[in-house]
Amino acid sequence: MSTSPTQRALALCRKYGWTAQVVERWNPHARVRQDLFGCIDLILLEGPQTGVVGVQVTSGSGHSARVRKSLDEPRVRQWLEAPARFEVWSFAKRGPAGKRKLWTLRAQAIELDGDELRVVDIKKQPAG
């Protein structure tokens, strides 16, 4: 049985003691998955100083496409202005050549920089 990127993200949240809720839903009539506001799979509460985080979760190969999709989604700007944070997480097996590959998280935040959106690499770790 394979583990989905969303299941990996939830496991990471549990490990760090963060509160997370899946907000992506299956629409049986359209036969598609629908993200909250077109781009959010998880709502995350990391801690009292960090506020609310919307997270788009994907596989490693889909990371750049999800970043582009999020940058093109007008509601991401509204989300950031709320104010809230927005991040794209992807999971892929990575490691040195000849060694066992381990599941690795790549995380990027989309932030408001004046009137522009910018993408910033981030390292996820427990708050505090």
Side-chain angles (χ1 to χ4, degrees):
M1 179 174 91
S2 68
T3 304
S4 74
T6 301
Q7 290 169 320
R8 290 187 190 290
L10 289 171
L12 180 75
C13 292
R14 281 191 300 273
K15 174 182 174 183
Y16 288 149
W18 299 331
T19 301
Q21 179 66 48
V22 175
V23 293
E24 172 190 61
R25 297 285 180 243
W26 172 253
N27 180 334
H29 303 291
R31 298 180 147 211
V32 295
R33 293 207 169 277
Q34 294 179 315
D35 299 335
L36 178 67
F37 302 134
C39 59
I40 298 174
D41 297 321
L42 295 176
I43 297 289
L44 175 61
L45 306 173
E46 288 179 335
Q49 283 79 32
T50 58
V52 177
V53 185
V55 182
Q56 170 69 228
V57 183
T58 188
S59 64
S61 62
H63 188 97
S64 60
R66 292 303 187 274
V67 169
R68 280 192 307 277
K69 170 188 169 184
S70 300
L71 289 169
D72 290 341
E73 173 54 61
R75 292 172 288 186
V76 167
R77 178 178 296 278
Q78 291 177 297
W79 178 262
L80 294 170
E81 290 170 342
R85 293 182 17 238
F86 182 83
E87 299 175 0
V88 177
W89 293 5
S90 62
F91 294 87
K93 283 195 169 184
R94 293 192 174 97
K99 300 285 184 177
R100 190 179 108 184
K101 307 301 182 223
L102 300 174
W103 285 105
T104 305
L105 169 68
R106 177 181 179 195
Q108 291 186 305
I110 295 178
E111 300 175 344
L112 275 175
D113 185 10
D115 288 338
E116 300 297 316
L117 294 175
R118 67 180 173 136
V119 180
V120 179
D121 290 329
I122 55 175
K123 181 174 173 133
K124 296 307 293 178
Q125 56 190 8

